Amino acid sequence: MTTQTAIAFQINRVAQMLDVSRSTVYRLIRDKHLTLVKVGKRSSRITAASVNDFVKARETA
């Protein structure tokens, strides 16, 4: 059996993962801290790489 790793997440999921509001996620997208990709006419996702990079940049030693 193979396991798949998500490459993109819904906005609600990212808000839940980061324990922030949807508004904060949209602000992070606007400020270019997270990368949004369109996957359909009305669907968008945030790349997993940008979420990982965001968290790593804010890690404390």
Side-chain angles (χ1 to χ4, degrees), residues 7-9 11 14 25 29 34-36 44-48 50-51:
I7 60 171
F9 302 105
I11 290 169
V14 172
V25 173
I29 293 165
L34 296 174
T35 304
L36 187 74
S44 299
R45 300 289 185 268
I46 298 169
T47 63
S50 72
V51 174

Side-chain angles (χ1 to χ4, degrees), residues 4 10 12 14 16 18-19 21 27 39-41 60:
Q4 286 186 311
Q10 293 177 331
N12 285 340
V14 172
Q16 182 181 32
L18 298 176
D19 195 24
S21 68
R27 183 177 47 79
V39 293
K41 206 174 201 179
T60 57

Side-chain angles (χ1 to χ4, degrees), residues 15-26:
Q16 182 181 32
M17 289 166 54
L18 298 176
D19 195 24
V20 298
S21 68
R22 285 173 41 100
S23 299
T24 298
V25 173
Y26 282 113

